Amino acid sequence: MGTLNEYLEQKRKAIYARKAYFEQKGDQAVSKISASVKAAGRSGVREIRIRDFQVISDSPPDFAGYNLGPSSPELQLGVLGSCLTHIALIQAAEREVSLHSLEVTVEGEMNPLAGKPGYEDVPIYPHNIRYKLFIQSDESEEKLQALHEAIEQVCPIFNLLKNPQQIEGDLIISRSAAQTV
């Protein structure tokens, strides 16, 4: 099995090729990303479809779920950890930082009473989010601190959560055949 540093060499080559491709495209480089989610009948399990992949999201039994997958807030923490990890690999490859191992853990808090009487000021969303970036490397502390700063500067999901975003939603209603007769 290859080492992380061998992978970083491969990653570096891919980064340079991708960068050259998108620099050539200029303003045409914007790409759209999407996901769709459908609630399954009888279980309420959320089937998340992204490209050719499916991810299952569910609730624990104490919230009328079957514990068939992580909850949406848990997935969000996992997505943050995944993005931080990927950006760490990209930045290490670009900066030629040697890494023997890399791991990110993410934690947050949620209060099931949030928003209810007496708890109006408690956020209804995951909050007090924090992560730990575990790096095993022979590089200098200064070089690894610079890597950490670069990760936070360019990580899309870290910055999405850190900075306010405008989200628009539309309601599309369809009626069952029985209702239209």
Side-chain angles (χ1 to χ4, degrees), residues 37-100:
V37 183
K38 184 176 184 179
R42 302 184 108 196
S43 69
V45 167
R46 278 82 63 203
E47 299 170 352
I48 304 166
R49 294 205 177 269
I50 303 167
R51 292 186 283 136
D52 294 330
F53 303 98
Q54 179 173 312
V55 178
I56 299 294
S57 178
D58 195 12
S59 301
D62 69 347
F63 206 41
Y66 295 93
N67 210 28
L68 298 173
S71 68
S72 298
E74 290 168 325
L75 281 170
Q76 183 60 62
L77 296 184
V79 167
L80 174 59
S82 175
C83 197
L84 286 164
T85 301
H86 187 228
I87 297 302
L89 292 169
I90 291 170
Q91 290 299 312
E94 284 186 333
R95 296 162 177 271
E96 298 187 18
V97 174
S98 172
L99 300 178
H100 301 295

Side-chain angles (χ1 to χ4, degrees), residues 77-146:
L77 296 184
V79 167
L80 174 59
S82 175
C83 197
L84 286 164
T85 301
H86 187 228
I87 297 302
L89 292 169
I90 291 170
Q91 290 299 312
E94 284 186 333
R95 296 162 177 271
E96 298 187 18
V97 174
S98 172
L99 300 178
H100 301 295
S101 69
L102 170 66
E103 182 178 345
V104 175
T105 61
V106 184
E107 296 179 342
E109 298 174 5
M110 288 192 69
N111 187 330
L113 299 175
K116 304 219 177 341
Y119 297 88
E120 295 87 357
D121 294 335
V122 176
I124 60 171
Y125 48 83
H127 56 283
N128 294 331
I129 298 172
R130 54 208 167 275
Y131 74 90
K132 292 180 182 175
L133 176 62
F134 298 92
I135 292 178
Q136 183 182 13
S137 175
D138 298 325
E139 301 286 1
S140 70
E141 187 172 334
E142 294 80 22
K143 197 168 191 178
L144 295 173
Q145 283 294 341

Side-chain angles (χ1 to χ4, degrees), residues 8-26 29 90 93-94:
L8 291 176
E9 278 297 318
Q10 178 184 343
K11 188 74 160 176
R12 187 174 302 112
K13 290 175 187 173
I15 289 166
Y16 292 144
R18 181 178 167 91
K19 189 182 242 181
Y21 172 77
F22 283 114
E23 284 175 354
Q24 181 182 4
K25 290 192 80 152
I90 291 170
E94 284 186 333

